[in-house]
Amino acid sequence: ASECHATAFESGDYFEGTDGVFGKGIYVAIGEDEDARSVAEYFAKKNGAIVKVALPKDAKIINGYDLLDERSALVASLNKKSNDLYKKLQSESGIKDYHQLAKRYPDEFRQMDARDDIVQQLSKDDGYAAKMLGYDAVVFDTGSADKQITVLNRSILKTTRVNVGGASSPKS
């Protein structure tokens, strides 16, 4: 991270990241070994800083593959609610035309549209899905040495600044 980003992150003002491979979140290399350090130094560049973070033991963490299963179940549940409501409205009103039904039941259609918006966001962003399901972080193990964790809840982290090639100092 740049010095500016590192300072903002340590103060808690830093936003939770931009879209990455696994959705929005704070991407963190896992471990104290040379591989994790070299990944951090690569992203810190020459004039940057490494911010070492620690999650509390009670952090709610999910494996990325398990998240896919939970997300699928949530999407199926939301879709079922909308489909069931649609069928109920059709049955009760006798109206089969979508547009006429929407005109007659605008509040119910707004609910279905809101669910559809959530389903779209869940499908695009693993970080969003994990937050909706109440997780603080997601661990992605690709099977290689570069394990990473995506942190979704900045407020639970303890941080230590590690200047590239220098000493460290605890922050929060």
Side-chain angles (χ1 to χ4, degrees):
S2 71
E3 288 290 333
C4 178
H5 282 130
T7 299
F9 182 81
E10 290 169 329
S11 71
D13 295 335
Y14 192 68
F15 67 99
E16 61 185 31
T18 57
D19 285 327
V21 175
F22 301 110
K24 290 184 180 164
I26 303 162
Y27 285 65
V28 179
I30 297 175
E32 302 262 349
D33 59 14
E34 195 58 39
D35 288 335
R37 175 89 183 174
S38 67
V39 168
E41 286 177 351
Y42 172 80
F43 286 101
K45 309 284 186 220
K46 288 181 189 175
N47 300 321
I50 297 170
V51 179
K52 188 175 177 180
V53 299
L55 284 163
K57 291 183 192 306
D58 63 346
K60 192 170 177 193
I61 301 171
I62 187 170
N63 175 288
Y65 298 108
D66 294 335
L67 174 61
L68 296 177
D69 293 338
E70 286 193 31
R71 177 179 62 188
S72 293
L74 179 57
V75 165
S77 171
L78 291 169
N79 284 335
K80 182 176 180 343
K81 285 181 182 178
S82 288
N83 290 336
D84 289 350
L85 178 57
Y86 184 77
K87 288 176 185 175
K88 177 184 171 198
L89 297 175
Q90 277 187 322
S91 174
E92 288 177 359
S93 68
I95 300 171
K96 299 298 179 198
D97 180 72
Y98 177 89
H99 298 291
Q100 288 178 6
L101 201 60
K103 200 178 236 185
R104 175 119 177 240
Y105 298 101
D107 293 339
E108 289 82 352
F109 270 73
R110 276 193 285 281
Q111 285 177 356
M112 289 187 285
D113 286 344
R115 278 193 205 103
D116 288 346
D117 290 345
I118 292 170
V119 165
Q120 291 300 316
Q121 191 64 31
L122 286 169
S123 300
K124 294 188 296 189
D125 187 341
D126 291 331
Y128 178 80
K131 280 177 62 174
M132 286 281 297
L133 291 163
Y135 291 99
D136 295 313
V138 183
V139 174
F140 293 96
D141 185 354
T142 59
S144 63
D146 60 338
K147 268 189 184 177
Q148 65 179 346
I149 189 166
T150 304
V151 178
L152 308 165
N153 182 358
R154 161 62 187 95
S155 68
I156 64 172
L157 295 176
K158 298 290 181 197
T159 65
T160 303
R161 172 82 63 98
V162 180
N163 294 321
V164 177
S168 40
S169 59
K171 293 292 177 187
S172 60

